[in-house]
Amino acid sequence: MNVIRTAIGLMSGTSMDGIDVALLRTDGRGFIERGPFLGVPYDADFRGQLKRALELARPLHDRNERPSELREIELELTLRHAAAVTAFLERFELSPDAVDVLGFHGQTVLHRPDEGLTIQIGDGPELARRTGISVVYDMRANDMVHGGQGAPLVPAYHAALAGKFQQAGQSVCFVNIGGISNLTAISSDGRISAFDSGPGNTLIDQWVEMQTGRTYDPGGEIGGRGKVVASLAERYLESPFFRSNVRRSLDRGDFAPLRPGEASLEDGARTLAHIAAASIIKSADFLPETPSTYIVCGGGRLNRTLMAEFSTMAERLGSNVLTAEETGFDGDAMEAEAWAYLAVRSLDGLPLTFPGTTGVGAPVSGGVLAKP
């Protein structure tokens, strides 16, 4: 008999804007009961520390290396996750004893899949000690040891959510538009395909922050006032990434930000929203079949300019575009929920990644367990 556990997933993504906390009751298979969600934003000073962590990680060649300053940032990140768990438990009147496991993503500071190297900072044993709850962490590494790209990991959860679409004989594609966008497609015959699709919010956020000091384009309002600069769009969309038959996972730094003076504030934001949308469509060409429905989650679904571009492009190909909320899911919580789901699968030794998701040779489990 499958054991149903209560898990909390913790996600801090490439946008580096905060910690997503979500509760799930699941057996790590087909039973999923979604619980509450809480977003805990980072302050500007800590976002600056995380950007510094990206610089500190760049010269590293061992995923366990922690130069002193990077270790200090890792500890601060861990303490903030512990505080987020405490705030979540207090907000929803839960006891730590009611939670079986935390799924801890940490913060990716370096991802070089071609070198078999990925570094997520975050101290799992310290988080377990601080919260009094067992923690599963470092979930990407074992996939890379076995020849996978280490990303994406969310597809196992997407596939579990796709049941009602499968019953209708549809092909469905979950699109997570975070800092980097990724796709999980479940074909009409049940095959799972997943890979990073290109830049998501990161380029837009970098451009808007460089020009205005604001950390993102709220609702896509800035981009909505601009126009697409074709030459800039072509420069990004002609990247070899979109032509290669070998799908690979992306690092935050794989697509360089626009340079000052290349466009007006509005035109730059609009162009980058167009690029984010077109990247999804170009990458979807590598799927076994054109999706009947795209379900969009992640912060990018709130950028109306990006979503309008994507919907127009997808509809030309006969696909429908829906937000996670329009299908009964929570687009903010989905990645954190996935980390809770993966933690339960890890406890049971179930696969987290598959040949069709990360390119690993055979399905493999992963994660390291830390007990309080």
Side-chain angles (χ1 to χ4, degrees):
M1 182 176 177
N2 298 338
V3 178
I4 296 172
R5 295 183 174 92
T6 298
I8 289 176
L10 301 166
M11 183 67 198
S12 180
T14 51
S15 294
M16 302 189 302
D17 52 1
I19 303 166
D20 292 337
V21 189
L23 185 139
L24 207 67
R25 292 187 69 246
T26 182
D27 61 357
R29 297 166 175 84
F31 178 84
I32 295 171
E33 185 177 278
R34 294 168 43 239
F37 167 79
L38 180 68
V40 181
Y42 291 140
D43 55 77
D45 286 346
F46 188 63
R47 288 186 74 246
Q49 289 185 55
L50 291 179
K51 290 179 182 178
R52 173 64 178 156
L54 300 177
E55 297 174 10
L56 294 168
R58 197 171 296 132
L60 301 182
H61 297 283
D62 182 334
R63 69 185 185 87
N64 295 311
E65 281 187 82
R66 296 293 188 273
S68 59
E69 188 180 352
L70 184 60
R71 173 57 186 157
E72 291 172 6
I73 297 170
E74 179 175 53
L75 180 58
E76 178 63 24
L77 177 84
T78 305
L79 296 180
R80 285 172 180 260
H81 276 72
V85 171
T86 299
F88 181 89
L89 295 175
E90 291 176 351
R91 169 78 64 88
F92 300 107
E93 299 180 346
L94 295 167
S95 163
D97 293 339
V99 181
D100 296 301
V101 67
L102 303 176
F104 182 28
H105 176 267
Q107 183 71 49
T108 300
V109 293
L110 185 71
H111 190 67
R112 293 179 182 155
D114 297 338
E115 299 175 21
L117 177 64
T118 187
I119 301 176
Q120 284 78 44
I121 58 172
D123 188 327
E126 181 67 17
L127 182 61
R129 190 179 72 80
R130 294 270 177 174
T131 60
I133 303 170
S134 294
V135 174
V136 173
Y137 67 104
D138 199 17
M139 292 194 224
R140 299 187 188 278
N142 195 48
D143 177 80
M144 299 188 84
V145 167
H146 288 84
Q149 295 267 309
L153 264 67
V154 179
Y157 183 57
H158 286 159
L161 294 178
K164 65 179 181 181
F165 297 94
Q166 290 301 111
Q167 292 167 10
Q170 296 181 359
S171 58
V172 60
C173 181
F174 288 85
V175 182
N176 178 59
I177 307 178
I180 299 294
S181 294
N182 53 67
L183 310 180
T184 302
I186 299 91
S187 300
S188 54
D189 62 2
R191 284 179 296 165
I192 302 174
S193 304
F195 42 79
D196 286 351
S197 60
N201 300 319
T202 292
L203 293 176
I204 303 169
D205 295 347
Q206 289 172 328
W207 175 252
V208 170
E209 186 169 15
M210 181 170 57
Q211 299 292 315
T212 70
R214 300 166 76 177
T215 55
Y216 69 107
D217 179 4
E221 295 172 6
I222 296 171
R225 299 194 298 269
K227 63 181 184 298
V228 175
V229 181
S231 60
L232 294 178
E234 288 169 8
R235 189 174 81 202
Y236 284 94
L237 296 172
E238 288 176 357
S239 164
F241 172 79
F242 298 112
R243 296 194 300 272
S244 173
N245 287 323
V246 178
R247 298 288 83 204
R248 59 181 292 269
S249 60
L250 292 166
D251 181 71
R252 175 186 169 93
D254 281 338
F255 288 88
L258 284 179
R259 296 183 293 271
E262 287 196 291
S264 68
L265 167 64
E266 293 82 2
D267 289 354
R270 175 61 184 276
T271 301
L272 294 171
H274 172 85
I275 290 164
S279 295
I280 298 166
I281 296 296
K282 288 178 77 72
S283 291
D285 283 344
F286 294 92
L287 296 174
E289 60 186 292
T290 301
S292 306
T293 301
Y294 287 99
I295 299 173
V296 186
C297 52
R301 79 193 191 289
L302 304 176
N303 184 317
R304 290 185 293 274
T305 302
L306 193 166
M307 286 294 288
E309 291 265 5
F310 177 43
S311 295
T312 298
M313 295 176 192
E315 286 167 5
R316 288 182 189 137
L317 300 173
S319 302
N320 189 29
V321 174
L322 300 171
T323 64
E325 286 72 17
E326 289 174 314
T327 56
F329 303 132
D330 184 331
D332 288 326
M334 195 174 290
E335 272 201 292
E337 289 173 358
W339 242 253
Y341 183 78
L342 291 169
V344 171
R345 288 183 68 83
S346 177
L347 290 177
D348 287 344
L350 296 171
L352 307 188
T353 57
F354 305 86
T357 63
T358 65
V360 69
V364 295
S365 191
V368 179
L369 175 63
K371 295 184 177 182

